[in-house]
Amino acid sequence: MTTLAIITFLILALLGMPLAFALGLAALGGLAYSGIELSVMPQRMMHAVNSFPLMAIPLFMLAGELMVGGQVMQRTIDFANAFVGRVKGGLAHVTLLSGLGLASVTGAAVAGASALGTTMMPAMKKHYDAGFGSAVVASASNLGPIIPPSAAMIVYALMAGSSVSVGGLFMAGVVPGILLVVGMMALSSWIAHRKGYAPTGEPFSLKNLLLQTRRAGAIMLMPVVVIGGIVGGVFTATEGAAIAVIYAFVIGKWVTRKLAWADLPGCMFRAALTSAVVGALIAFATPLTFLFTIDLIPMRLSEFIQALTDNPHLFLALVMAMLLVVGMFLESNAAYIMLVPLFAPIALAYGIDPLYFGFLFVFNLVIGMMTPPVGVLLFVMCGIAKIPMSQLLRYVWPFIALQYLVLVLCWIFPGIVTALPRALGY
């Protein structure tokens, strides 16, 4: 029945059916073939989404929408401008730092790309090639699932069970996220010098930096309060997400004074729409993972891989190579939901740190969001910048290569991932 379900899913996905429905129909076919009561399917679906930890995703999405609706991005950009000063590639540096700030609020790449792209692309097109500007915005947006809070890490922790905590995964992303930002800023500078782009921004001024820091202080405090509370054990990730919503509303309504009551329905609708996609994937994929369990697929897969090698490093290399290919063709949330229940227990059997494995798993699939042919961020940026895919691809490859370089460094030196979570007691 597993074979039937997988073949059904692949055929429907290749025909262009939305992945959630393809998963659901594949599970339905497998259940019907096996003779299991079909009433199991709605029960499993309801149980999957009736989850308190899962509520963090729509709440963080709503917090991000409220920050965008409150036009918080402009103050973040002003602060980044004051910090960077007038240098070659300065506008790219500002975009990357703004992406870092936005990532600490939204936790999602696509939402970040929409907000950052619409805000930064008009200025980017004035100073840079549109392909380079789009590649920088896509790379900055891809920090969303790496820098805490991360919707991808919440989904991973939910699918992995009690072996890994959301807070621990959040902290695992901090150091690699900073490495990514520093590396992408250096790469942007090199490209700007090579292409002869003129310096952008105002000359550095300590007075202006202090002014912009004061204006952006309340905004910059938000991730400190929310993530600090989660890590400190003051509240759970879901409660932290609810606090983030209130904080974002207060900032948009009374600090920037750009968020109107009339904006709330639109913010809620967009957050619900994005969250519904993740919820539908989880709900429809759960009966499929139930079929895998009945067919003993996790155990058989574990025995097969352990027969190939008893070396945990080789196992990690095999998984990362597989995820590299999967990320090119499969939407990341669908990949978490289908593959985490299979591979997380095997990693534990190899004695691999679950935080370390979880972060590498997430990071690998996050890079897939920028990788053709199904890199969703590439399509978003082509739509915003109104450029052909070929123009964007000419500039995006160095940024993809840099992200894989950081991934390899995290693989070779586990301390990059685990040192901070372990220091904080995870």
Side-chain angles (χ1 to χ4, degrees):
M1 60 185 175
T2 296
T3 304
L4 174 66
I6 291 173
I7 292 173
T8 303
F9 168 72
L10 291 174
I11 291 172
L12 294 174
L14 289 171
L15 289 173
M17 179 177 284
L19 291 179
F21 300 128
L23 288 168
L25 286 174
L28 186 63
L31 287 170
Y33 177 78
S34 65
I36 298 172
E37 280 287 335
L38 295 183
S39 60
V40 168
M41 186 163 179
Q43 292 170 5
R44 292 276 167 177
M45 291 171 64
M46 185 61 192
H47 178 72
V49 293
N50 185 22
S51 166
F52 182 73
L54 196 60
M55 287 175 61
I57 294 177
L59 289 171
F60 275 126
M61 295 288 184
L62 180 56
E65 290 290 344
L66 291 172
M67 294 291 271
V68 172
Q71 297 183 25
V72 172
M73 278 302 302
Q74 191 54 54
R75 291 200 181 191
T76 307
I77 291 167
D78 290 342
F79 169 76
N81 263 316
F83 183 80
V84 170
R86 185 173 177 81
V87 295
K88 281 198 172 185
L91 190 56
H93 295 172
V94 168
T95 302
L96 290 164
L97 291 175
S98 301
L100 175 63
L102 191 61
S104 67
V105 176
T106 62
V110 175
S114 299
L116 203 58
T118 52
T119 306
M120 298 301 299
M121 278 311 297
M124 293 285 245
K125 283 184 172 182
K126 290 180 181 177
H127 298 280
Y128 306 140
D129 184 284
F132 173 65
S134 300
V136 171
V137 173
S139 303
S141 305
N142 220 26
L143 294 169
I146 302 299
I147 300 292
S150 163
M153 291 178 181
I154 294 171
V155 174
Y156 180 94
L158 181 70
M159 302 311 297
S162 58
S163 64
V164 66
S165 70
V166 174
L169 273 178
F170 279 1
M171 290 300 98
V174 173
V175 176
I178 293 171
L179 284 177
L180 275 174
V181 174
V182 173
M184 288 190 291
M185 289 177 72
L187 178 59
S188 298
S189 289
W190 179 76
I191 294 174
H193 278 84
R194 185 166 168 267
K195 293 286 185 180
Y197 295 137
T200 57
E202 297 296 323
F204 179 82
S205 162
L206 181 60
K207 180 181 178 181
N208 186 40
L209 178 60
L210 294 174
L211 172 65
Q212 298 305 332
T213 302
R214 183 179 61 80
R215 292 185 74 240
I219 299 163
M220 295 162 64
L221 194 61
M222 179 180 172
V224 175
V225 171
V226 174
I227 306 302
I230 294 171
V231 172
V234 179
F235 39 75
T236 66
T238 304
E239 291 161 349
I243 291 169
V245 171
I246 297 170
Y247 198 112
F249 175 75
V250 169
I251 287 177
K253 186 67 180 171
W254 288 290
V255 177
T256 64
R257 300 182 181 181
K258 298 293 184 180
L259 185 66
W261 292 106
D263 297 327
L264 295 184
C267 293
M268 292 180 180
F269 176 78
R270 288 187 294 274
L273 195 63
T274 308
S275 305
V277 173
V278 179
L281 282 166
I282 292 173
F284 282 117
T286 301
L288 196 59
T289 57
F290 173 67
L291 285 180
F292 292 165
T293 305
I294 292 175
D295 248 354
L296 303 178
I297 297 301
M299 186 184 74
R300 292 176 181 177
L301 185 61
S302 177
E303 290 173 350
F304 173 72
I305 293 176
Q306 287 176 331
L308 289 176
T309 177
D310 59 358
N311 188 322
H313 298 291
L314 185 55
F315 163 73
L316 271 176
L318 290 171
V319 171
M320 289 202 295
M322 180 204 67
L323 291 177
L324 189 154
V325 177
V326 168
M328 290 182 179
F329 297 98
L330 191 62
E331 198 273 334
S332 57
N333 284 308
Y336 298 131
I337 294 158
M338 293 177 66
L339 300 177
V340 171
L342 296 178
F343 286 100
I346 301 174
L348 282 175
Y350 273 97
I352 298 171
D353 188 322
L355 273 179
Y356 171 58
F357 180 77
F359 175 77
L360 292 180
F361 199 103
V362 170
F363 192 6
N364 211 316
L365 288 174
V366 165
I367 299 173
M369 299 181 73
M370 286 183 63
T371 309
V374 190
V376 63
L377 287 177
L378 303 182
F379 291 99
V380 170
M381 288 313 305
C382 284
I384 292 173
K386 296 180 174 57
I387 58 173
M389 181 67 72
S390 57
Q391 185 176 351
L392 174 55
L393 289 178
R394 284 203 303 272
Y395 288 94
V396 82
W397 286 114
F399 292 94
I400 295 173
L402 175 66
Q403 291 181 52
Y404 275 117
L405 174 62
V406 175
L407 175 65
V408 171
L409 287 174
C410 292
W411 173 39
I412 296 173
F413 304 105
I416 295 173
V417 177
T418 59
L420 182 58
R422 294 293 173 247
L424 295 170
Y426 289 102

